[in-house]
Amino acid sequence: MAGSTYGMIFKITTWGESHGKGIGVVIDGCPAGLLLEREDIQKFLDRRKPGQDRYSTKRREGDAVEILSGVFEGYTTGTPIALMIRNTDQRSEDYNKIADYYRPGHADYTYDEKYGFRDYRGGGRSSGRETAGRVAAGAIASKLLKELGVTLTTYVRSIGPVSIETFHPEEINRNSLNMPDAAAAERASEYLEDCLRKQDSSGGCIECIVHGLPSGVGDPVFEKLDANLAKALMSIGAVKAIEIGDGKEVSVTTGSHNNDAFVGENGEVRKKTNHAGGILGGISDGSDLILRASFKPTPSIFTTQQTVNSKGDNIEINIKGRHDPVIVPRAVVVVESMTAVTLIDSLMTGMSCRLSNLKKIWN
Amino acid sequence: MAGSTYGMIFKITTWGESHGKGIGVVIDGCPAGLLLEREDIQKFLDRRKPGQDRYSTKRREGDAVEILSGVFEGYTTGTPIALMIRNTDQRSEDYNKIADYYRPGHADYTYDEKYGFRDYRGGGRSSGRETAGRVAAGAIASKLLKELGVTLTTYVRSIGPVSIETFHPEEINRNSLNMPDAAAAERASEYLEDCLRKQDSSGGCIECIVHGLPSGVGDPVFEKLDANLAKALMSIGAVKAIEIGDGKEVSVTTGSHNNDAFVGENGEVRKKTNHAGGILGGISDGSDLILRASFKPTPSIFTTQQTVNSKGDNIEINIKGRHDPVIVPRAVVVVESMTAVTLIDSLMTGMSCRLSNLKKIWN
Amino acid sequence: MAGSTYGMIFKITTWGESHGKGIGVVIDGCPAGLLLEREDIQKFLDRRKPGQDRYSTKRREGDAVEILSGVFEGYTTGTPIALMIRNTDQRSEDYNKIADYYRPGHADYTYDEKYGFRDYRGGGRSSGRETAGRVAAGAIASKLLKELGVTLTTYVRSIGPVSIETFHPEEINRNSLNMPDAAAAERASEYLEDCLRKQDSSGGCIECIVHGLPSGVGDPVFEKLDANLAKALMSIGAVKAIEIGDGKEVSVTTGSHNNDAFVGENGEVRKKTNHAGGILGGISDGSDLILRASFKPTPSIFTTQQTVNSKGDNIEINIKGRHDPVIVPRAVVVVESMTAVTLIDSLMTGMSCRLSNLKKIWN
Amino acid sequence: MAGSTYGMIFKITTWGESHGKGIGVVIDGCPAGLLLEREDIQKFLDRRKPGQDRYSTKRREGDAVEILSGVFEGYTTGTPIALMIRNTDQRSEDYNKIADYYRPGHADYTYDEKYGFRDYRGGGRSSGRETAGRVAAGAIASKLLKELGVTLTTYVRSIGPVSIETFHPEEINRNSLNMPDAAAAERASEYLEDCLRKQDSSGGCIECIVHGLPSGVGDPVFEKLDANLAKALMSIGAVKAIEIGDGKEVSVTTGSHNNDAFVGENGEVRKKTNHAGGILGGISDGSDLILRASFKPTPSIFTTQQTVNSKGDNIEINIKGRHDPVIVPRAVVVVESMTAVTLIDSLMTGMSCRLSNLKKIWN
């Protein structure tokens, strides 16, 4: 099945493997008239670039993006925008060994089971490198959202057992862990040093807050905004849980606490609280969206692991290569990108919800 | 946007409002040759029928399903199966009052914002009654899965603060709360009695285990099996969090604990543990799927609440009507249905993943 | 595969067989705020109702449509509109014989090959009766188009060798053959009488003219407006050719004749001619759309025919039952409906083609 | 709207403009295990390459294709195959003039109306050069079909008034007009010389015959095989009419002539004739598919034409540049490609039509 296309009206199609010729994305359905420069996209890509701190892989890709189509005289034309990033720092020889066995926690085994064989170099298509295409698309989606007054703030909420305790948005880009709490970032660093010493890795949680989203976005009953966001975020490799608003906490609370009371203020309807995370009945309610994604620890660890080789023998392995002890900080921009792409697609598909809207455009 | 259709090859389209003429679903793409009787579907619907215990709404719908098309001489024909359930016990007068204000925690406000007005009777399309169509479709999906050796076990894992501590699958249908632990069900009942006394409501968590799913189901990169399951479950009204396998716990654990070691047994590849919940890289790995959905407390509570009326005035309301202090037990079959529909669609779309499969069918 | 759903944003799903319990359609994605009465739909259905003249089947269905959902206090709510027509005048016994053989020109054989068996009663799902669902949806699409100033004129252009020679739109509904030329209708009637005498049937051609469609509708490169219209019309049972504008004639002409010169008139861009039929590069150009569909003769004829039975024996058959010697006049409203549904879906999907449009709706 | 993606399971996404950096396509959903070499694709591209005879544009693109992803050790992996062709011989200066006016018969005006401005260089996205991406995808689809025993024969049936009178398939590639009748090709050449002298251009008709397609392909009611083929072919720039089997002729014939009698031969069901062109009720019947597409004359002609400039002034223009007096011979491989892509997608989506098929793959 064709699983590399996402979105209905704002549609992105990614391609590429970790150690192939490159990584790319085609963004189709981007409205005409958006000022778009290579730098808009490069900035986003740089946020997920490896090799920026001691906790991320030492692979050093320039990740220089090329705009191949869809932009004319600086503006999007409404036709497909093809973007490509050539792979440059592939050391495939590091991976030759993994051709013969299944790395625990990776997709080696399931790709083999599905397709009969696999491009084993660096995980092939299942590599986190695939997300570069998503981020390039996310840059464009974010720029469109900004034109509509919608902005996103995304950050690391926890790494292993270390959670943020304060929220200073200006801190997010000041520490390499992208946490809005400098002290927590400090403690998380210590925790990661400990992981490194133990040849182990850590999970973590990313939160995304969306400001300025109009009410009325999302469609009953299967295309609910939260349903599409859950799919978008769960499609990121290492994510194992998605929460909206109070998330998992709602299961242990009561209606009297969880309901957000409406209040009228200067003719506007507001909510006193936002346990719902900005979505009621699958439709945005005009307050901030609140999303969380929990990431599993990087499966590539350097301690000895048990597994099976392709002949079915039980073996012990020691993974080599360049791997992040934590991928969460680099994944912040991936979460932001998938959220942005989902939101702009929902805004575009939802334009026809009222007959009066059709008249505004077509009369 | 058309949000009432779900699935690509096995496609379901639901329709109907809480207090309209009925609720229905069209299942298109069901393979020909499945023995299907009205009773197969009715049994599923009966599992979500209201009025079965003192914690669910007193509305008493017969929920008698009619098969309108797509079955001939007892077998599915491959053409659309239309199913309809007439509404019979609507007391719309109960709802006339809510025409004028927005109930906290409900979709009244967001529907108004999106569409300019709403069918306010019983929540209209945003009512939980909409899920009857999903369940009818789920009955067919489940029967197809059973033909392929795939079965689902779904149950209430927790209600409010009360979680199961033992797992006895045969208990699930013996208590009205659908918990696989009789003692926990007892404690949960006491908790719900307390909620009733306080005119309050409770959330809870549902877990679904899928046995017998072959490896190789799910598609990289956006159509991952877990991504589609997350969308499917998050599209159920009150769900605010989705977890796969260890779920949210992965964020606080380490790679050495979270990785599932592969082991060879009699020529088969197995995993020693199943933290991953049966999915690696978005593709099923042949072990049990493990899914969890957290439900918020029923928003319709009988204590006085603050809200806004349609003129924007701040008012206090006391909701009347027939409402469940907890919807979780009735939602078990909804979770099972959405999971089943998603799985059968993934199995069908995935048939073409290898050239040799095409040859098996078309040569 | 799920083939009974059509459209992306304005999405219709039809169900039902010729001799099942009924025929229905779910229209999802209809904008909220359209005044819609049962009579709007019934009028359209009455245009395809059998038994209106001596050239159409003697089956007499009331074809009374019921609105089951999606309309509240007279207006569409934006949620799925379910429509149903109960079958009433089925004489299935007429069809018992055809269970055992394949009628030439019908889909009996191909359904058996695809699905392994078939609902043979009246052709089951492959019956022309399936189009009732399309027409019900077309009524709603037409009403939406009218709100946007778009109207359709559809008529029989030829029956067998008899073509119209004049065009008087007011004639279309005055003769039972729906031809805009009374004299041609007269001659066509004589031709059909001759067909009846010979126990034979006739083909014909339907033309649809769309007035008032704005320029800019349709999307490069695969979702061209003409491409979608071609699919829509070719999906009608008996259609074997589709033409846009000058259609097939373009293959024998030259560029200097076929190019439509642009002219400026009062600040508007017009075309001196309309060989293109209102579409350039797959996008509407603001002039009339011109579409034609050629229909094959009704395959159910009463002369003796050769065929094969289900055992593979060569046999001779004489079809009984109630069949039209020409279906073209009844198909006029089907062509109009499929055109209308396609146009409204294109208008809705195209609302996001410019960034300024998004701002008009969402700011 | 995102119009550059085609197909559901075998999904192609094209990108690129006539005078941008290149043209490309992503093929997603190609089954794993197909042996695929660059040369397989290059051969197809060479069939549409410009500059091969005196009737096609003098632009000389190497059209060298690069495989960027999705192939590993010579075989497709099941993941997206990205193909790119760099543009090399763009002479954009030829087109600067057309920035200011609308060429008759081209999409300049409609793109401006839709998007507010356009990439005018060589027609931008609306250029025939866009079809290179389709052809690259078609090469892969054709190779898959061949593995299933399905082959296509495509040729020019007529150019202007000159039609083939004999059918010698081995002739098709012997003359530069791709006609299966050497004498007709001779006469067509003379006709084209005449067009050149008159600074005019010619239309023509292409026919495609599909051999070996199994019965049972195509889905009722909207995803009929002929409906999808009609869309596929009508999406090719200059096509204005589509015919299946006897096509437009069916409108003037009778049922007794048009019905194809079934005959049993050695336990197989065959048809005595093939007026239907291999499709009954939208489903393949096991006989040859017969498709025809009528192409309009190239709109770029060198005689003086009337048009309007962007200020709305009526002007006269003389188009310069490199243009084909007939595009039909080069379009043969485009028709074949779109047919092949549609067929392989239909074969793949149709694998689940029977429950027994699911068991063949998943048990």
Side-chain angles (χ1 to χ4, degrees), chain C residues 48-65:
Chain C
R48 73 163 287 291
K49 208 161 62 173
Q52 301 192 104
D53 63 60
R54 64 186 263 101
Y55 310 120
S56 70
T57 165
K58 295 301 164 285
R59 176 170 175 170
R60 292 185 187 280
E61 289 285 357
D63 272 2
V65 68

Side-chain angles (χ1 to χ4, degrees), chain C residues 212-231:
Chain C
L213 188 71
S215 57
V217 182
D219 285 274
V221 296
F222 297 115
E223 300 296 334
K224 290 191 167 88
L225 184 57
D226 37 1
N228 277 317
L229 289 165
K231 176 171 181 174

Side-chain angles (χ1 to χ4, degrees), chain B residues 55 156-167 175 177 179-195 197 202:
Chain B
Y55 311 120
V156 173
R157 190 181 153 97
S158 66
I159 284 181
V162 183
S163 288
I164 58 169
E165 289 168 4
T166 61
F167 181 71
N175 61 78
L177 298 180
M179 296 179 99
D181 173 346
E186 194 72 27
R187 290 195 306 279
S189 281
E190 287 161 24
Y191 177 75
L192 290 173
E193 289 294 332
D194 196 48
C195 285
R197 270 190 298 273
S202 172

Side-chain angles (χ1 to χ4, degrees), chain B residues 62-343:
Chain B
D63 271 2
V65 68
E66 185 180 10
I67 300 178
L68 294 167
S69 68
V71 178
F72 183 61
E73 298 181 343
Y75 287 88
T76 58
T77 59
T79 57
I81 303 167
L83 306 174
M84 180 170 58
I85 303 152
R86 289 270 180 190
N87 287 335
T88 53
D89 184 27
Q90 306 124 279
R91 290 201 233 148
S92 300
E93 62 279 14
D94 286 353
Y95 291 97
N96 280 342
K97 288 164 209 132
I98 69 171
D100 293 329
Y101 60 78
Y102 300 129
R103 292 170 299 163
H106 278 283
D108 303 339
Y109 173 67
T110 52
Y111 269 65
D112 254 21
E113 285 286 292
K114 184 175 189 71
Y115 297 118
F117 77 118
R118 72 185 193 276
D119 178 353
Y120 53 80
R121 300 165 304 162
R125 182 72 178 145
S126 72
S127 164
R129 186 148 177 74
E130 167 266 323
T131 59
R134 304 180 183 220
V135 170
I140 298 175
S142 292
K143 198 160 187 199
L144 283 166
L145 288 172
K146 196 175 278 180
E147 293 274 343
L148 301 173
V150 183
T151 55
L152 291 82
T153 305
T154 319
Y155 49 88
V156 173
R157 190 181 153 97
S158 66
I159 284 181
V162 183
S163 288
I164 58 169
E165 289 168 4
T166 61
F167 181 71
H168 302 287
E170 71 283 1
E171 270 301 326
I172 298 170
N173 296 315
R174 284 195 196 142
N175 61 78
S176 68
L177 298 180
N178 294 327
M179 296 179 99
D181 173 346
E186 194 72 27
R187 290 195 306 279
S189 281
E190 287 161 24
Y191 177 75
L192 290 173
E193 289 294 332
D194 196 48
C195 285
L196 275 176
R197 270 190 298 273
K198 294 175 178 157
Q199 302 194 307
D200 211 337
S201 62
S202 172
C205 179
I206 292 175
E207 191 161 63
C208 177
I209 314 284
V210 182
H211 324 272
L213 188 70
S215 57
V217 182
D219 285 274
V221 294
F222 297 115
E223 300 296 334
K224 289 190 167 87
L225 185 57
D226 37 1
N228 277 316
L229 288 165
K231 176 172 181 172
L233 299 190
M234 195 66 97
S235 78
I236 302 170
V239 174
K240 301 301 280 187
I242 304 295
E243 297 174 286
I244 309 288
D246 282 4
K248 198 175 171 177
E249 288 300 302
V250 299
S251 69
V252 294
T253 192
T254 60
S256 61
H257 173 263
N258 188 65
N259 281 354
D260 300 314
F262 289 107
V263 284
E265 286 175 7
N266 312 320
E268 305 261 307
V269 175
R270 294 277 172 269
K271 296 187 325 187
K272 285 181 80 169
T273 51
N274 190 14
H275 299 292
I279 302 179
L280 284 169
I283 300 172
S284 64
D285 65 16
S287 48
D288 283 356
L289 287 200
I290 304 169
L291 315 170
R292 273 186 306 285
S294 294
F295 284 72
K296 71 175 184 182
T298 323
S300 289
I301 51 175
F302 300 109
T303 42
T304 303
Q305 295 185 90
Q306 277 193 289
T307 191
V308 169
N309 66 16
S310 52
K311 291 179 217 133
D313 304 325
N314 287 301
I315 58 171
E316 291 201 334
I317 58 164
N318 281 288
I319 291 176
K320 302 272 180 272
R322 300 164 293 182
H323 304 289
D324 305 6
V326 69
I327 57 151
V328 178
R330 289 179 59 204
V332 164
V333 71
V334 183
V335 166
E336 186 163 314
S337 292
M338 288 308 297
T339 302
V341 168
T342 304
L343 291 177

Side-chain angles (χ1 to χ4, degrees), chain C residues 3 110 113-114 200 215-216 218 222 224 228 231 235 240 242 256 259 264 272 276 280 299 305-306 314 354, chain D residues 3 110 113-114 200 215-216 218 222 224 228 231 235 240 242 244 256 259 264 272 276 280 299 305-306 314 354:
Chain C
T110 52
E113 286 286 293
K114 184 175 189 74
D200 212 336
S215 57
F222 297 115
K224 290 191 167 88
N228 277 317
K231 176 171 181 174
S235 78
K240 302 299 281 186
I242 303 296
S256 61
N259 282 353
K272 286 182 79 169
L280 283 168
Q305 295 185 90
Q306 278 193 290
N314 288 300
R354 296 187 194 191
Chain D
T110 52
E113 286 286 294
K114 184 174 190 74
D200 212 335
S215 56
F222 297 115
K224 289 190 167 88
N228 277 316
K231 176 170 182 173
S235 79
K240 301 300 281 186
I242 303 296
I244 309 289
S256 61
N259 281 354
K272 284 181 80 169
L280 283 168
Q305 295 186 91
Q306 277 193 290
N314 287 300
R354 296 187 193 191

